[in-house]
């Protein structure tokens, strides 16, 4: 580890990169078996330090030790990391045994000449722990199942052919992002990694050093801390061949084109200062489309909690937090749903606004909307204009907006998809909430309309963050953004099956929780999910899920089920 010192140029970066250049040779010489052993050690050390990880995360975010919200840190932290390590290890094991990492997966056709790979459920444990949830990765149009099988494994198909030294500029909001991005650079692209932590997460440095000790010692990973000067030195170092960033599009553009008016002018001319390859995950204004139907009072209340979770999980400091709820102006139950949404929004637990600039962004939302409704420490916007600023400005905090478009059924859904594609900034994640009866009425036309929705992850009766937590799914923006209009970013991460030619992940979940789901004809045993902000046992369930991901076993399932049902 190296840390910047005031008045010193960039010796932390230079010395770290020098070690990584030597480490690249070591990485090239490691067999698949060696790499699997490294992943096994990483899993063990992650679980060994998981409690410390969560304690530090709660300190950063101001969460009380006895708060159910601690579950967010267990699930989006150690659980996500451990799941990713385990799935990646299985892909390398397949390659070691001269199999495709796609062997054993169910492949089918998807609309628009795409191939779908079912990545959830994949194991019997998936079927039990996430009963009622599923996820598919869709290929780009025209890519066959055979092409996907032949290319799965990416750089690990030729492990001796390394990809140089890359820098990962870590995120400051979700603490598994930086280590998972580091793993993706190592294994998908065969690059050794300089990880620059976001200053907000600097307290995590001792934990990450211990977790990655087996990677740091031979020079496969280096971790540095510091301010903007260290990040600039890393990005511009001549021996850094690739840059990966998680953050805002403003941060991306400042790095690629330079800050201020000069940088904006270069962006308009598509003349980047940074000419190295860059990948990114940049967030955006994510929608939740609520398809009109005939809902019970309990359905209205539950889905209002669902939408509020999509906004207020981590206090809205998620790149995939829902910002604009799209409802039908013709829905007979529109006012009932909005009333339920206001109740759920007001009753959600209060949070410390730990992320820098949060108060200013919230104040700007209020200033931009004279009719803004203040609910405790959060803001609800229902007085939106045509081409409202809420459609293009990512507030990245506890601000939720409601937009209305006309129509019922397929007409509404088509209009809502067009609205999301054309008026909202970003293409990271979009959610659709639809009653099972309405889904049946829409038939195959539903999938055709969803195929038109240009987002990297689409959640249907499930928050798109389930895609983030699904290690075998892809995570990133819809493909095709140029460097001067990056929207929600370029490229994907996670993708533990190491798939090529992917376009999106589509997640499905149950409309109702167990036991009401079974009573109303949905065959799903999933209770209220532990990531809901209203879940009373989220902390206990989250810890047990992480423990299970570290070492899956049948004996751990009963305690998880019991805790989840009590939530």
């Amino acid at each position: 580890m190296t840390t910047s010192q005031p008045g010193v140029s960039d010796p932390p970066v230079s010395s770290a990169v020098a070690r990584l250049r030597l480490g690249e040779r070591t990485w090239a010489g490691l067999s698949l078996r060696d790499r699997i052993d490294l992943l096994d050690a990483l899993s063990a050390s992650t679980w060994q330090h998981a409690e410390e990880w969560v304690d530090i995360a709660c300190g950063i975010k101001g969460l009380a030790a006895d708060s159910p919200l601690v579950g967010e840190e267990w699930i989006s932290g150690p659980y996500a990391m451990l799941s990713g390590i385990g799935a990646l290890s299985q892909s390398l094991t397949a390659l070691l045994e001269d199999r495709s990492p796609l062997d054993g997966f169910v492949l089918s056709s998807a609309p628009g000449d795409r191939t779908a790979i079912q990545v959830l459920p994949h194991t019997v444990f998936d079927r039990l722990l996430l009963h009622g949830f599923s996820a598919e990765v869709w290929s780009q149009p025209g890519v066959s199942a055979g092409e996907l099988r032949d290319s799965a494994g990416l750089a690990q198909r030729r492990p001796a052919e390394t990809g140089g030294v890359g820098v990962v500029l870590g995120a400051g909001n979700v603490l598994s992002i930086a280590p998972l991005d580091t793993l993706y650079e190592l294994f998908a692209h065969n690059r050794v990694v300089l990880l620059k932590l976001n200053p907000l997460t600097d307290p995590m440095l001792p934990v990450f050093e211990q977790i990655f000790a087996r990677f740091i010692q031979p020079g496969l990973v280096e971790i540095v801390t510091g301010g903007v000067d260290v990040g600039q030195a890393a990005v511009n170092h001549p021996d850094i061949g690739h840059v990966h960033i998680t953050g805002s599009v403003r941060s991306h553009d400042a790095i690629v084109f330079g800050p201020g008016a000069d940088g904006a002018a270069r962006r308009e001319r598509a003349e980047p200062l940074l000419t190295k390859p860059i990948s990114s995950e940049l967030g955006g204004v994510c929608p939740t489309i609520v398809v009109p139907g005939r809902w019970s009072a309990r359905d209205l209340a539950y889905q209002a909690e669902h939408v509020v979770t999509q906004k207020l999980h981590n206090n809205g400091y998620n790149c995939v937090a829902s910002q604009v709820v799209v409802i039908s102006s013709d829905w007979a139950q529109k006012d009932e749903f909005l009333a339920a949404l206001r109740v759920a929004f007001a009753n959600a637990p209060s949070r410390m606004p730990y992320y820098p600039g949060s108060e200013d962004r919230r104040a700007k939302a209020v200033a931009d909307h004279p009719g803004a409704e203040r609910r405790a420490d959060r803001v609800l916007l229902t007085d939106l204009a045509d081409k409202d600023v809420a459609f293009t400005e990512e507030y990245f905090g506890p601000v939720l907006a409601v937009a209305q478009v006309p129509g019922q059924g397929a007409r509404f859904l088509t209009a809502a998809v067009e609205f999301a594609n054309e008026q909202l900034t970003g293409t990271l994640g979009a959610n659709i909430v639809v009653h099972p009866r309405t889904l049946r009425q829409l038939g195959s036309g539903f999938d055709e309309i969803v195929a038109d929705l240009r987002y990297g992850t689409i959640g249907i009766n499930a928050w798109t963050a389930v895609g983030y937590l699904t290690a075998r799914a892809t995570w990133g923006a819809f493909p095709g953004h140029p460097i001067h209009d990056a929207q929600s970013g370029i490229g994907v991460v996670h993708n533990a099956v190491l798939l090529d030619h992917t376009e999106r992940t589509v997640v499905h979940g149950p409309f109702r929780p167990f036991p009401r789901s079974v009573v109303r004809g949905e065959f799903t045993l999933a209770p209220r999910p532990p990531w809901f902000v209203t879940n009373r046992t989220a902390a206990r369930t989250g810890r047990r899920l992480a423990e299970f991901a570290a070492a899956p076993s049948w004996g751990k399932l009963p305690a998880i089920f019991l805790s989840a049902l009590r939530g």
Side-chain angles (χ1 to χ4, degrees):
M1 181 278 295
T2 47
T3 306
S4 66
Q5 300 295 326
V8 180
S9 57
D10 75 333
V13 169
S14 293
S15 57
V17 172
R19 288 191 292 273
L20 289 167
R21 290 191 66 192
L22 294 174
E24 184 184 3
R25 301 175 197 170
T26 303
W27 186 234
L30 293 180
S31 67
L32 288 172
R33 179 71 263 170
D34 295 330
R35 296 176 184 211
I36 293 167
D37 290 344
L38 279 174
L39 286 171
D40 289 345
L42 182 66
S43 180
S45 60
T46 298
W47 176 245
Q48 180 183 353
H49 298 286
E51 195 92 46
E52 184 181 0
W53 174 328
V54 172
D55 288 346
I56 293 171
C58 290
I60 292 171
K61 301 183 180 185
L63 295 177
D66 60 351
S67 171
L69 297 174
V70 172
E72 294 181 358
E73 300 312 311
W74 276 108
I75 294 170
S76 67
Y79 171 77
M81 180 71 170
L82 289 161
S83 297
I85 296 168
L88 190 55
S89 179
Q90 291 178 17
S91 293
L92 266 64
T93 298
L95 292 169
L96 179 64
E97 296 172 351
D98 201 26
R99 297 183 289 110
S100 169
L102 262 183
D103 286 356
F105 285 80
V106 176
L107 278 69
S108 59
S109 61
D113 193 26
R114 297 171 172 92
T115 300
I117 307 106
Q118 181 181 293
V119 294
L120 179 74
H122 179 61
T123 69
V124 64
F125 290 136
D126 290 343
R127 290 178 173 84
L128 293 170
L129 288 172
L130 288 167
H131 194 268
F133 287 87
S134 64
E136 293 179 336
V137 174
W138 288 11
S139 75
Q140 295 172 6
V143 178
S144 69
E147 289 175 284
L148 290 169
R149 285 193 180 92
D150 291 344
S151 60
L154 295 176
Q156 294 310 299
R157 301 179 70 86
R158 298 170 299 280
E161 299 176 15
T162 53
V165 182
V167 62
V168 168
L169 300 179
N173 57 337
V174 175
L175 300 187
S176 63
I177 291 177
L180 285 172
D181 289 351
T182 297
L183 283 182
Y184 198 69
E185 288 292 293
L186 277 163
F187 289 92
H189 303 296
N190 244 5
R191 283 190 280 266
V192 293
V193 179
L194 175 66
L195 170 59
K196 159 68 173 68
L197 295 182
N198 183 296
L200 194 61
T201 67
D202 282 353
M204 288 292 296
L205 177 63
V207 170
F208 287 157
E209 284 185 319
Q210 293 174 87
I211 286 173
F212 278 103
R214 288 281 299 275
F215 287 80
I216 293 172
Q217 188 275 327
L220 311 179
V221 171
E222 286 284 328
I223 307 175
V224 297
T225 61
V228 174
D229 57 332
V230 176
Q232 289 175 337
V235 165
N236 294 300
H237 193 286
D239 290 331
I240 292 289
H242 182 273
V243 176
H244 178 78
I245 175 175
T246 300
S248 69
V249 71
R250 288 192 181 92
S251 298
H252 170 276
D253 290 347
I255 290 168
V256 174
F257 297 100
D262 289 344
R266 279 188 289 268
R267 177 178 172 274
E268 287 295 317
R269 299 194 302 269
E271 296 176 357
L273 288 176
L274 182 70
T275 56
K276 300 174 182 181
I278 184 168
S279 56
S280 53
E281 191 260 84
L282 305 175
V285 177
C286 297
T288 295
I289 297 170
V290 180
V291 183
R294 197 166 68 252
W295 296 12
S296 71
R298 295 184 72 180
D299 292 340
L300 290 164
Y302 178 76
Q303 290 300 338
E305 286 183 32
H306 191 185
V307 172
V308 166
T309 288
Q310 294 169 13
K311 173 75 271 182
L312 295 182
H313 183 281
N314 198 26
N315 207 34
Y317 309 132
N318 289 325
C319 292
V320 76
S322 178
Q323 180 164 306
V324 177
V325 183
V326 186
I327 64 174
S328 171
S329 56
D330 300 324
W331 187 18
Q333 292 183 287
K334 174 186 68 176
D335 291 339
E336 293 176 70
F337 176 74
L338 288 176
L341 188 67
R342 287 184 170 96
V343 170
F345 200 59
N347 291 344
S350 295
R351 313 280 189 113
M352 182 180 85
Y354 73 88
Y355 205 88
S358 176
E359 299 283 10
D360 291 340
R361 290 188 296 274
R362 187 174 61 179
K364 184 180 186 306
V366 172
D368 288 340
H369 301 86
E373 302 174 29
R374 303 189 191 194
R375 307 261 166 182
D377 54 351
R378 53 206 71 123
V379 176
L380 183 65
L381 308 175
T382 58
D383 60 329
L384 303 185
D386 290 339
K387 302 187 183 303
D388 198 275
V389 66
F391 302 160
T392 56
E393 181 80 18
E394 183 186 8
Y395 289 120
F396 206 68
V399 179
L400 182 65
V402 179
Q404 299 188 33
V405 300
Q408 302 278 0
R411 178 169 166 260
F412 164 78
L413 187 56
T414 300
V417 166
E418 181 180 1
F419 169 82
N421 284 341
E422 302 301 330
Q423 294 205 43
L424 303 185
T425 295
T427 63
L428 184 61
N431 311 281
I432 300 174
V433 177
V434 54
H435 193 285
R437 185 189 307 109
T438 306
L439 198 54
R440 289 192 296 271
Q441 290 169 349
L442 290 168
S444 61
F446 178 81
D447 289 337
E448 298 290 342
I449 298 171
V450 168
D452 292 333
L453 192 54
R454 297 193 296 270
Y455 285 81
T457 299
I458 298 171
I460 299 163
N461 291 334
W463 184 24
T464 47
V466 177
Y468 178 92
L469 294 174
T470 302
R472 295 178 177 89
T474 55
W475 184 255
F478 195 80
H481 300 308
I483 193 73
H484 61 279
D485 185 21
Q487 294 280 318
S488 288
I490 299 168
V492 300
V493 289
H494 302 189
N495 182 24
V497 188
L498 300 174
L499 299 167
D500 204 358
H501 313 301
T502 61
E503 182 184 72
R504 72 181 84 188
T505 289
V506 180
V507 179
H508 286 260
F511 183 75
R512 304 178 182 93
F514 178 82
R516 197 160 54 87
S517 56
V518 175
V519 173
R520 300 302 294 268
E522 284 184 278
F523 182 61
T524 171
L525 303 180
R528 173 182 276 102
W531 53 84
F532 265 42
V533 295
T534 51
N535 191 297
R536 299 185 298 271
T537 61
R540 186 183 306 114
T541 304
R543 190 189 193 286
R544 289 174 175 172
L545 284 170
E547 183 179 17
F548 179 88
S553 73
W554 290 97
K556 295 174 183 176
L557 293 179
I560 296 173
F561 292 151
L562 183 60
S563 180
L565 286 168
R566 289 174 173 170

